[in-house]
């Protein structure tokens, strides 16, 4: 590769590896975050805040147990919170990065109101919360208590670090029986969909300005249009809790849940994405999420993964088995695609000869003659250019599989990997990924060294993605590529054997032995 081409690409790779954002954190590839509670001054106001940090999100509570920062990470494991050498914390990346959204914006979630008694805008007497965690049980728990106008509110919040759910149990002593809990969102969304379904009733929704009251809800939700970067906030009453909801649409989208007595709510605050919602048990809720064709394929893959897990008990082995199974299913299709590629490689030298032959001849007759020779070459090698389209047929399954593994939350590691949901902290998979893909490129372009040299530079950029992909995704790509290389090598040998005699010249007739007289026939006389 020419130096003038290599240098800019190397600079681009370095830029990607060091991070382009001036306000966001530099990418840390791997380094799974150990969930923990952090007590620190987050908002610059008197008193401490309490931050639950994990691979998926950083949730900031004030002393009343109100959420003042709800940061859902686009890429699991990104460490937006930096610990300084003196033991203090730097939250600037969390507050200022353009790659993460505060779902509550400048408002508060889990705020409790009651007419004339409880008001989130007024001062209250607070005590330091009790913070505990049990990672083996996927729990981070905080018990908040505060007193306002003689009423004491006790709020127990239990987060689950491996998914986006939290449980919120609330009780009020010495105060009103009826109260309201507020759930605003979704931060950047100008006009989220606000909906609720009453128990035994039909979906009710408000889009844009306006309010709607829904009694005895089965669930209520704020949702952006589904995507990998969309968010959702879902509230479900639990354990016999009866809740009514007032829905407010528009830029100030809000769910106000009216409760009475001790209550228990399950709250989902995270990605509005099918796999996470399925693992959290929400896809069965009526009217909440309607998967597209890719989503339906993803659901089948997730259910297959769950079935395999029952037999092997390890998610890493599940990915290995799933990859092998899907490659076997797609083997005939990949076989057809591989044969097309192999025949094209065999024809490359002859194609170049024909192109060079007519390179200086641009007239219509010459171009027509070149096309005729190319078509004859295709017929000789039984090559159908339309066969190249088979390359695209596996894409829906491959895209759905990649999306599924990327969003799936694993509860275990594999080999040296601490967590399959985040990148390899030792970069071993990234190196294997690079070697395997260059090997595949060589097998695909072995008859055309120039093409190999031209395309090899692409993997400088691909290396960045290998460093940032969740380990589970990278394992799938590596294993799938290795199987593809083996299949292509077998096909190459078959095609080369089949086409070995094509294009051989016909041998001339042998010369007559010396000394043997020739018979001469005279022309007839007139």
């Amino acid at each position: 590769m020419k130096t003038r081409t290599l240098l800019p690409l190397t600079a681009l790779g370095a830029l990607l590896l060091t991070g382009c954002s001036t306000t966001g954190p530099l990418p840390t590839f791997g380094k799974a975050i150990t969930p923990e509670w952090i007590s620190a001054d987050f908002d610059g106001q008197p008193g401490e805040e309490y931050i639950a940090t994990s691979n998926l999100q950083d949730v900031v509570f004030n002393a009343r147990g109100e959420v003042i920062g709800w940061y859902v990470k686009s890429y699991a494991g990104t460490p937006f919170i930096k610990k300084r050498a003196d033991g203090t914390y730097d939250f600037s990346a969390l507050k200022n990065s353009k790659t993460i959204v505060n779902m509550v914006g400048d408002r508060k979630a889990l705020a409790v109101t009651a007419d004339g008694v409880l008001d989130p805008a007024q001062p209250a007497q607070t005590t330091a919360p009790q913070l505990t965690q049990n990672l083996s049980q996927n729990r981070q728990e905080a018990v908040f208590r505060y007193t306002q106008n003689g009423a004491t509110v006790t709020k127990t919040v239990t987060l689950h670090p491996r998914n986006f759910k939290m449980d919120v149990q609330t009780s009020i002593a010495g105060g009103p029986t009826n109260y309201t809990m507020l759930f605003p969102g979704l931060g950047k969304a100008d006009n989220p969909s606000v909906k609720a379904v009453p128990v035994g009733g039909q979906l009710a929704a408000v889009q844009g300005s306006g309010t709607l009251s829904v009694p005895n809800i089965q669930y209520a939700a704020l949702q952006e249009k589904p995507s990998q970067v969309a968010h959702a906030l879902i509230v479900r009453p639990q354990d016999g809790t009866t809740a009514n909801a007032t829905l407010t649409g528009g830029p100030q989208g809000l769910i106000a849940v009216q409760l009475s007595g001790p209550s228990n709510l399950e709250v989902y605050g995270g990605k509005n994405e099918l796999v996470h919602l399925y693992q959290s048990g929400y896809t069965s809720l009526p009217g909440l999420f309607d998967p597209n064709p890719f989503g339906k394929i993803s659901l089948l893959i997730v259910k297959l993964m769950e079935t395999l897990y029952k037999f092997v008990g390890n998610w890493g082995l599940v990915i290995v088995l799933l990859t092998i199974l899907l490659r076997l299913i797609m083997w005939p299709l990949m076989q057809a695609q591989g044969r097309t590629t192999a025949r094209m490689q065999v024809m490359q030298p002859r194609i170049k000869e024909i192109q060079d032959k007519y390179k200086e001849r641009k007239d219509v007759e010459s171009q027509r003659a070149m096309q005729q020779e190319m078509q004859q070459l295709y017929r000789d090698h039984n090559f159908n250019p339309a066969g190249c389209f088979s390359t695209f047929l596996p894409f829906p399954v491959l895209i759905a599989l990649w999306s599924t593994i990327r969003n799936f939350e694993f509860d275990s590691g594999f080999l040296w990997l601490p967590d399959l949901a985040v990148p390899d902290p030792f970069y071993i998979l990234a190196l294997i990924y690079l070697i395997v893909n260059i090997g595949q490129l060589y097998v695909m372009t072995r008859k055309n060294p120039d093409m190999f040299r031209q395309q090899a530079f692409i993997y400088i950029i691909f290396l960045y993605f290998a460093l940032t992909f969740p380990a589970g995704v990278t394992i799938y790509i590596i294993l799938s590529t290795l199987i593809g290389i083996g299949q292509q090598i077998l096909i190459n040998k078959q095609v080369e054997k089949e086409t070995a005699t094509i294009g051989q010249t016909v041998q001339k007739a042998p010369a007559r032995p010396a000394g043997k007289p020739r018979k001469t026939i005279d022309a007839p006389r007139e």
Side-chain angles (χ1 to χ4, degrees):
M1 188 184 300
K2 295 181 179 179
T3 303
R4 65 182 182 182
T5 303
L6 180 60
L7 288 178
L9 290 169
T10 303
L12 175 60
L15 183 62
L16 290 172
L17 294 176
T18 56
C20 304
S21 174
T22 58
T23 58
L26 301 184
T28 299
F29 307 113
K31 307 296 183 185
I33 296 173
T34 301
E36 64 175 329
W37 282 105
I38 296 174
S39 299
D41 181 9
F42 179 84
D43 59 4
Q45 302 297 318
E48 289 188 325
E49 282 69 49
Y50 308 93
I51 303 98
T53 183
S54 68
N55 283 328
L56 296 180
Q57 60 185 353
D58 297 326
V59 185
V60 185
F61 297 87
N62 63 17
R64 301 188 193 193
E66 299 165 345
V67 178
I68 62 172
W70 202 331
Y71 301 93
V72 175
K73 299 176 182 179
S74 298
Y75 298 96
T78 308
F80 286 94
I81 299 173
K82 307 293 183 181
K83 190 172 185 178
R84 303 186 182 98
D86 62 359
T88 60
Y89 292 90
D90 179 3
F91 298 109
S92 59
L94 191 62
K95 296 178 181 179
N96 302 326
S97 175
K98 296 179 180 178
T99 63
I100 193 168
V101 174
N102 180 3
M103 289 211 308
V104 298
D106 58 357
R107 296 185 288 173
K108 301 174 183 178
L110 312 190
V112 176
T113 68
D115 291 340
V117 180
L118 300 175
D119 184 349
Q122 298 301 317
Q125 297 175 334
T126 62
T127 59
Q130 302 170 10
L131 306 175
T132 59
Q133 64 182 28
N134 187 328
L135 299 185
S136 63
Q137 295 183 7
N138 191 31
R139 293 169 66 91
Q140 287 176 287
E141 187 170 280
V143 180
F144 300 93
R145 287 188 180 88
Y146 69 93
T147 301
Q148 190 177 48
N149 295 324
T152 300
V153 178
T154 301
K155 191 185 302 176
T156 302
V157 179
T158 304
L159 296 98
H160 305 280
R162 288 197 297 270
N163 54 51
F164 291 113
K165 291 196 299 185
M166 69 170 72
D167 302 313
V168 183
Q169 297 176 324
T170 308
S171 63
I172 301 176
T177 301
N178 300 323
Y179 56 97
T180 299
M181 185 170 286
L182 305 178
F183 297 90
L186 295 165
K188 66 177 181 177
D190 293 332
N191 190 20
S193 172
V194 190
K195 64 181 69 172
V197 172
V199 175
Q202 300 296 317
L203 176 69
V206 55
Q207 190 86 31
S209 60
T211 60
L212 181 66
S213 295
V214 182
N216 192 20
I217 60 170
Q218 180 180 354
Y219 78 86
L222 284 157
Q223 290 178 286
E224 295 177 303
K225 186 176 180 180
S227 76
Q228 296 295 337
V229 295
H231 298 91
L233 192 153
I234 306 166
V235 182
R236 296 177 70 185
Q238 301 289 305
D239 299 331
T241 297
T242 299
N244 303 323
T246 300
L247 313 179
T248 303
Q252 295 297 310
L254 174 69
I255 299 172
V257 179
Q258 293 85 42
L259 302 161
S260 181
S263 64
N264 186 0
L265 300 177
E266 182 181 87
V267 182
Y268 176 96
K271 292 186 176 181
N272 192 33
E273 181 276 327
L274 180 62
V275 175
H276 282 104
L277 291 173
Y278 172 81
Q279 284 191 280
S280 297
Y282 290 105
T283 51
S284 60
L285 295 179
L288 183 69
F289 198 100
D290 184 19
N292 59 22
F294 284 104
K296 293 177 181 178
I297 296 174
S298 291
L299 281 180
L300 292 175
I301 293 172
V302 169
K303 293 176 182 178
L304 177 58
M305 290 173 62
E306 292 174 337
T307 301
L308 292 173
Y309 184 78
K310 293 178 182 178
F311 292 97
V312 299
N314 182 280
W315 288 114
L317 292 177
V318 166
I319 293 175
V320 171
L321 292 176
L322 181 67
T323 306
I324 294 173
L325 179 60
L326 289 178
R327 288 296 305 206
L328 288 176
I329 293 173
M330 293 189 293
W331 186 275
L333 184 61
M334 303 305 289
Q335 189 81 0
Q337 173 190 329
R339 291 181 67 84
T340 299
T341 301
R343 290 181 182 278
M344 175 59 75
Q345 289 298 314
V346 169
M347 292 188 301
Q348 276 299 324
R350 180 57 183 149
I351 289 175
K352 191 174 186 307
E353 288 180 13
I354 295 174
Q355 291 173 339
D356 290 344
K357 177 180 176 181
Y358 292 95
K359 181 167 59 177
E360 304 297 333
R361 298 158 63 179
K362 305 298 183 182
D363 59 280
V364 176
E365 291 298 325
S366 297
Q367 292 299 307
R368 184 180 294 114
M370 183 180 73
Q371 291 298 324
Q372 290 174 350
E373 289 194 39
M374 293 287 282
Q375 291 172 5
Q376 183 60 48
L377 180 66
Y378 291 164
R379 286 192 293 269
D380 291 343
H381 287 79
N382 193 25
F383 176 78
N384 180 9
C388 297
F389 290 109
S390 65
T391 303
F392 302 101
L393 295 180
F395 275 13
V397 174
L398 298 181
I399 292 172
L401 179 60
W402 180 84
S403 178
T404 300
I405 297 177
R406 169 186 162 187
N407 291 295
F408 196 87
E409 291 305 321
F410 303 94
D411 58 3
S412 63
F414 182 58
L415 299 177
W416 69 90
L417 304 165
D419 191 331
L420 291 168
V422 300
D424 178 2
F426 304 106
Y427 314 142
I428 297 173
L429 287 181
L431 179 61
I432 297 173
Y433 172 93
L434 183 63
I435 294 172
V436 166
N437 276 275
I438 290 178
Q440 182 187 48
L441 178 64
Y442 173 76
V443 171
M444 302 289 284
T445 61
R446 71 198 189 287
K447 298 286 187 179
N448 194 336
D450 289 337
M451 182 179 294
F452 176 82
R453 287 190 293 269
Q454 291 169 4
Q455 295 186 8
F457 76 87
I458 296 176
Y459 292 100
I460 296 176
I461 299 176
F462 279 9
L463 180 60
Y464 169 78
F465 297 108
L467 289 168
T468 58
F469 280 165
V473 174
T474 312
I475 290 173
Y476 156 72
I477 295 175
I478 289 172
L479 185 56
S480 180
T481 304
L482 283 172
I483 296 173
I485 289 174
Q487 185 177 14
Q488 190 64 52
I489 290 174
L490 293 175
I491 292 171
N492 289 345
K493 291 181 179 179
Q494 294 172 358
V495 170
E496 287 173 359
K497 184 176 180 180
E498 293 170 4
T499 59
T501 60
I502 295 177
Q504 292 183 356
T505 57
V506 179
Q507 297 293 325
K508 295 180 180 179
R512 292 175 178 273
K516 186 175 182 179
R518 296 182 179 181
K519 183 178 180 179
T520 303
I521 300 177
D522 294 332
R525 299 174 182 271
E526 293 183 356

